[in-house]
Amino acid sequence: MSDVVTRWIAEDPDPQSRAELASLSADELADRFSAPLSFGTAGLRGPVRAGPNGMNVAVVVRTTAGLSAWLKDRCLGGSTVVVGRDARHGSEKFALAAAEVLAGAGFSVVLLPRPLPTPIVAFAVRRLRAAAGVQITASHNPASDNGYKVYLDGGAQLISPSDREIEAAIAAVGPAHLVPRSPVIPASDELVQSYLARVASLPRGTSRTVRIALTAMHGVGGETAVAALGAAGFTDIHTVASQFRPDPDFPTVEFPNPEEPGASDELLALADRVDADLALALDPDADRLAVGVPGPDGWRMLRGDETGVLLADHVLACAPPDPLVATTIVSSDLLEKLASARGARSARTLTGFKWLVRAGHGLVYAYEEAIGHCVDPDVVRDKDGISAAVVAADLAATLRSEGSTLLDRLDDYALEFGLHAGDQVSRRVADISEIGAMMQRLRANMPTELAGEPVRATDLAELRGSSRTDAVVLTGSSVRVVVRPSGTEPKLKCYLEVVVGAPDREGLGAARATARERLAVLRDFAHAL
């Protein structure tokens, strides 16, 4: 056993982690100590396991000590910091460790009272004018993972160069068992009640007649979502009982992500059984929302782009002058067209809400294709599945009172702007190096034609400034493909879109058939990378 491993074990404050490391083989230890977890999408994320390459008490203690030092370097010592958690494996002891380290460093710590949705931490940071917030969560990652998400003042996610600076501060932290810690008493429910009161004020319509089927996907959003919807006046709610209570093993789904095929099957079965008008699926930390609707061929989940444009139009109907709506480079072109027609501005950013909430002044709504929606950016500057669920219910109830549906509204957009049909191909890999190889092959042989029309290629890795990222965009007159590595999972993601005109409602069927054919060609291209 190397000196590095021996020293880490001796300095690990958690006896379970020490015992775990002592039991491992040389090869297993080499994996655990190959590299520390690094800051990615707003913080850390990785498997719950001992050693510097996992989520464990020692890593959380050292990370929090680095965050504390970084805050103090910016004259923020003694400020308020909010700490929250989901219900994943290890979340309770990780949150307590983070809170105690912050208290030991002299910060005023607000430790949320129980497992709660991630958006409540973002809300609390902004509400309390805190210097920072920490949420222990891995969102919709597999059950084996956990994470450490950081918000800065104003309640927006961490971005560069702050992440690199904090990482350097973490590297300078001494032994984890010597980091000072002080006891912390959990806060009351006051912040949760304030959040619920704000969310309940979001509906613009007068009707509350809508029947809702809802799943929490084994996460922490069920109780809060039902309370928020009820406070807003939506009381006809049916929940998926097998997925309502938090369960860190996510026993009924292979991946606890409403985007994954099959993940929402129990929800849609319930919606059909109770004759619901709307189906709502939260991811495990309730910062994302997927929407399901009944149609001529049965229930289906809307794509993130479909929900995004529906909610954008609903928010814009009551927005203040000169509003801004935003989405990302991988999302549909439809939002830009809708915004222009509604007298609003639109913006595109890199993927992630750390960029979306910084899209510009006058922001009233932002969404990303991966079912994230920010419907109240003045109060929660991040994606929020709970508030999005309330606004979606408001929209569904408003349309129902007018004798219309969400699918009818999407048909209206198809006639006004052309039918925008999208799809996504995710190439999950066992070896992360395969993603780089696929991107390299694409860059070495950029296509000049897709689905029967010329396309131009833009390599965003060659740009300078804030728009630079590891992605390739292929654009034609009516096709668009974006290829990029996932920021949170071992996947290469390909985002596909085609636009087909329809002369009238009778022509929508033919337009959809054409769109399916063209998307099939784009899928073949994505699978061949």
Side-chain angles (χ1 to χ4, degrees), residues 8 32 35-37 44-60 94 146:
W8 181 280
R32 301 291 182 94
L37 289 185
L44 301 173
R45 197 174 291 186
V48 178
R49 62 182 189 176
N53 195 235
M55 277 293 297
N56 53 72
V57 170
V59 165
V60 168
F94 297 160
N146 213 325

Side-chain angles (χ1 to χ4, degrees), residues 290-356:
V291 175
V293 294
D297 299 319
W299 281 84
R300 75 171 178 92
M301 301 303 292
L302 296 180
R303 292 185 52 77
D305 284 322
E306 293 176 312
T307 303
V309 72
L310 285 164
L311 296 185
D313 202 11
H314 192 54
V315 170
L316 285 173
C318 295
D322 194 30
L324 173 70
V325 292
T327 192
T328 73
I329 57 171
V330 304
S331 301
S332 171
D333 286 336
L334 182 54
L335 183 69
E336 181 179 1
K337 298 174 183 177
L338 175 84
S340 179
R342 304 296 188 262
R345 293 173 293 122
S346 64
R348 278 190 187 271
T349 72
L350 296 181
T351 55
F353 270 85
K354 60 184 180 181
W355 306 116
L356 280 170

Side-chain angles (χ1 to χ4, degrees), residues 2 61 83 212 216 266 273 347 355 374 398 446 470 483-484:
S2 72
V61 165
V83 178
I212 299 167
E266 290 197 28
R273 191 163 61 249
W355 306 116
C374 177
T398 299
M446 293 284 206
D470 185 7
V483 183
R484 60 177 281 271

Side-chain angles (χ1 to χ4, degrees), residues 60-129:
V60 168
V61 165
R62 298 187 74 257
T63 298
T64 309
L67 173 62
S68 299
W70 182 84
L71 290 170
K72 287 181 176 181
D73 283 347
R74 279 141 191 83
C75 301
L76 294 170
S79 300
T80 297
V81 180
V82 180
V83 178
R85 63 181 172 99
D86 64 12
R88 283 177 174 268
H89 291 295
S91 285
E92 183 173 9
K93 66 179 180 180
F94 297 160
L96 183 60
E100 290 179 346
V101 170
L102 287 160
F107 290 90
S108 176
V109 181
V110 177
L111 175 62
L112 295 183
R114 60 183 185 280
L116 287 165
T118 293
I120 294 181
V121 171
F123 167 84
V125 171
R126 195 162 178 80
R127 175 89 169 194
L128 299 175
R129 298 184 179 179

Side-chain angles (χ1 to χ4, degrees), residues 253-267:
V253 289
E254 185 174 359
F255 294 102
N257 181 354
E259 290 183 289
E260 292 286 342
S264 297
D265 285 355
E266 290 197 28
L267 171 67

Side-chain angles (χ1 to χ4, degrees), residues 114-254:
R114 60 183 185 280
L116 287 165
T118 293
I120 294 181
V121 171
F123 167 84
V125 171
R126 195 162 178 80
R127 175 89 169 194
L128 299 175
R129 298 184 179 179
V134 174
Q135 171 78 344
I136 303 299
T137 182
S139 191
H140 56 275
N141 272 41
S144 58
D145 289 355
N146 213 325
Y148 185 105
K149 187 172 187 177
V150 178
Y151 293 94
L152 298 183
D153 62 308
Q157 291 183 33
L158 178 76
I159 58 171
S160 293
S162 299
D163 52 359
R164 301 280 79 86
E165 293 167 355
I166 294 172
E167 198 165 41
I170 295 167
V173 172
H177 72 302
L178 297 181
V179 172
R181 295 164 67 169
S182 297
V184 176
I185 298 174
S188 71
D189 244 20
E190 182 180 354
L191 283 166
V192 180
Q193 296 307 314
S194 297
Y195 170 82
L196 290 173
R198 173 65 186 195
V199 172
S201 72
L202 294 177
R204 274 87 168 179
T206 57
S207 175
R208 299 293 184 270
T209 305
V210 63
R211 179 167 295 169
I212 299 167
L214 182 142
T215 181
M217 204 68 70
H218 298 295
V220 296
E223 180 182 320
T224 305
V226 170
L229 288 162
F234 302 102
T235 57
D236 191 356
I237 303 169
H238 302 256
T239 61
V240 179
S242 64
Q243 299 177 339
F244 189 77
R245 299 294 176 191
D247 187 331
D249 292 319
F250 309 110
T252 68
V253 289
E254 185 174 359

Side-chain angles (χ1 to χ4, degrees), residues 71 84 87 97 132 149 156 169 210 216 263 280 282 288 299 301 365 392 420 455 501:
L71 290 170
K149 187 172 187 177
V210 63
L280 301 175
L282 300 166
R288 301 181 190 226
W299 281 84
M301 301 303 292
Y365 174 75
H420 288 64
V455 294

